[in-house]
């Protein structure tokens, strides 16, 4: 039997400890939370579903990982604007027969990531779900007025960069699909993605990024979003792609996974060709992978060969 709402709130409150911290003037327990925005800042708000069977499977993902990933998706969106997260709001629908220990471990995973970035869980709702765990999270953050890095700022000639390595999360998902035993290690970005908040903030503060997005749906899809919003095209230089390594012993993932695999939660950004971009920011490698073009459309370049890049949307588990 799932905890009634009041008991769950007590549980979250016990984990979350204090009711008011930093910009959260009033957290869980009243009709609304009261959130302060720092002077001369504006609010960033993002919302994401985590649905059992679509975004995670209980047989594959430990509850801590589901909670972590649930919040990481929202934090990654805040990172992609160059913002700082303040508070999260969680709405949970739980099946009647879900063990209480699953909920406890889910909340534990979520709150441990929240604590790392000083994000308060400031409210939410619970209900009984007719089928599967449904979690909806809202993350609120802030950014100095008028400085958020949006998707529409890429200009022809801009260089294209990514943080970290690509395709690792999809590679782990492939292992899970083939029913091979996968140990959900803390360092595996599929189970425990690290939102690139420090990098996003740095790129905004130093006026480096002209456009930015987080890689949730895969490089081809997310690069297409930047190009659509900016009315430009792009050319990706294949030999430059930073391929993640996965498996035991670790081997480089395929170029296909790096181009189309989702849920890496790295950042993709553009910068003027003459701007000096550090090769490492906050310990995260930064790699130049291509160039924004005036001609619309996405292409890959390998030596002298130029090939249209097909945009293949990431559909989580729907392909199985
Ligand atoms: Mg996003």
């Amino acid at each position: 039997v799932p905890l009634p709402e009041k008991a769950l709130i007590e549980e979250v409150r016990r984990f979350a400890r204090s009711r008011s911290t930093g910009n959260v003037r009033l957290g869980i327990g009243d009709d609304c939370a009261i959130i302060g925005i720092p002077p001369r800042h504006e609010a960033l708000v993002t919302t994401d579903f985590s649905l059992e069977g679509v975004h995670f499977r209980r047989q594959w993902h430990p509850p801590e990982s589901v909670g972590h990933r649930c919040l990481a998706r929202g934090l990654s969106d805040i990172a992609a604007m160059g913002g700082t997260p303040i508070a999260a709001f969680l709405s949970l629908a739980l099946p009647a027969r879900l063990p209480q220990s699953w909920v406890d471990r889910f909340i534990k995973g979520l709150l441990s990531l929240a604590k790392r970035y000083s994000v308060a869980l400031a409210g939410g709702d619970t209900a009984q779900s007719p089928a599967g765990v449904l979690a909806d999270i809202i993350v609120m953050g802030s950014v100095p007025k008028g400085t958020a890095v949006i998707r529409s700022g890429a200009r022809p000639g801009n260089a294209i960069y990514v943080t970290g390595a690509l395709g690792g999360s999809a590679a782990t998902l492939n292992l899970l699909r083939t029913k091979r035993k996968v140990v959900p290690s803390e360092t595996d970005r599929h189970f425990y993605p690290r939102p690139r908040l420090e990098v996003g903030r740095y790129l905004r503060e130093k006026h480096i990024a002209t456009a930015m997005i987080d890689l949730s749906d895969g490089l081809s899809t997310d690069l297409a979003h930047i190009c659509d919003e900016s009315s430009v095209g792009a050319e990706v230089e294949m030999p430059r792609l930073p391929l993640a390594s996965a498996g035991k012993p670790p081997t480089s993932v395929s170029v296909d996974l790096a181009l189309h695999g989702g849920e890496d939660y790295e950042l993709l950004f553009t910068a003027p060709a003459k701007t000096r971009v550090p090769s490492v920011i906050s310990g995260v490698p930064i790699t130049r992978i291509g160039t924004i073009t005036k001609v619309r459309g996405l292409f890959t370049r390998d030596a002298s060969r130029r090939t249209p890049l097909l945009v293949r949307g990431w559909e989580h588990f729907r392909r199985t």
Side-chain angles (χ1 to χ4, degrees):
V1 180
L3 280 183
E5 182 175 345
K6 214 175 152 197
L8 184 69
I9 287 170
E10 282 310 317
E11 187 84 351
V12 169
R13 215 188 245 170
R14 194 166 59 79
F15 279 117
R17 253 165 268 139
S18 98
R19 282 185 82 185
S20 66
T21 45
N23 290 305
V24 180
R25 313 261 188 268
L26 188 61
I28 292 170
D30 214 305
D31 295 304
C32 289
I34 306 175
I35 313 286
I37 303 288
R40 292 179 299 282
H41 279 58
E42 51 200 351
L44 300 172
V45 182
T46 176
T47 172
D48 282 290
F49 267 133
S50 292
L51 309 178
E52 184 174 352
V54 178
H55 301 97
F56 68 92
R57 289 193 178 169
R58 260 191 278 160
Q59 314 90 279
W60 290 352
H61 300 94
E64 291 87 352
S65 159
V66 179
H68 177 110
R69 285 159 44 102
C70 179
L71 177 61
R73 298 177 61 191
L75 293 181
S76 181
D77 283 329
I78 300 285
M81 309 296 283
T84 302
I86 297 173
F89 302 85
L90 174 69
S91 291
L92 263 183
L94 306 168
R97 260 185 255 150
L98 189 74
Q100 184 54 44
S101 62
W102 194 95
V103 184
D104 290 349
R105 291 172 59 194
F106 168 89
I107 296 286
K108 202 180 134 209
L110 191 148
L111 288 179
S112 127
L113 179 64
K115 201 176 158 194
R116 194 178 305 157
Y117 293 104
S118 307
V119 178
L121 185 56
D125 195 12
T126 58
Q128 199 178 97
S129 163
V133 174
L134 315 171
D136 182 31
I137 197 151
I138 293 170
V139 178
M140 186 180 165
S142 77
V143 69
K145 258 181 199 151
T147 69
V149 185
I150 56 179
R151 296 178 180 181
S152 56
R155 297 292 171 261
N158 279 185
I160 306 168
Y161 296 84
V162 291
T163 62
L166 307 178
S169 179
T172 298
L173 191 55
N174 279 351
L175 287 179
L176 289 166
R177 275 206 186 105
T178 54
K179 300 206 167 54
R180 251 181 286 177
K181 203 170 148 46
V182 181
V183 181
S185 114
E186 288 276 340
T187 56
D188 188 315
R189 284 187 65 80
H190 175 77
F191 292 103
Y192 296 97
R194 294 280 180 94
R196 301 301 195 191
L197 283 156
E198 297 89 352
V199 181
R201 205 153 41 212
Y202 181 95
L203 293 170
R204 172 184 58 74
E205 281 170 1
K206 304 289 179 194
H207 308 285
I208 291 173
T210 51
M212 185 149 61
I213 189 169
D214 67 314
L215 291 173
S216 54
D217 296 335
L219 177 63
S220 62
T221 304
D222 291 319
L223 180 56
H225 289 320
I226 290 241
C227 289
D228 286 344
E229 292 299 321
S230 302
S231 305
V232 292
E235 197 174 281
V236 175
E237 294 166 50
M238 298 300 276
R240 289 177 178 267
L241 280 185
L243 306 177
S245 51
K248 261 184 190 172
T251 48
S252 284
V253 304
S254 69
V255 162
D256 211 53
L257 285 186
L259 284 175
H260 307 293
E263 298 184 310
D264 280 320
Y265 298 110
E266 297 292 350
L267 295 176
L268 168 71
F269 65 95
T270 57
K274 282 182 190 156
T275 300
R276 228 187 60 79
V277 179
S279 56
V280 176
I281 299 172
S282 293
V284 183
I286 311 293
T287 310
R288 188 185 161 177
I289 61 159
T291 310
I292 293 292
T293 59
K294 193 174 171 190
V295 178
R296 301 290 300 264
L298 303 186
F299 293 89
T300 57
R301 184 179 284 282
D302 208 335
S304 61
R305 235 175 70 135
R306 193 161 167 270
T307 317
L309 171 60
L310 297 178
V311 176
R312 297 218 306 258
W314 179 246
E315 288 181 37
H316 301 283
F317 304 160
R318 263 167 253 159
R319 273 183 287 171
T320 55

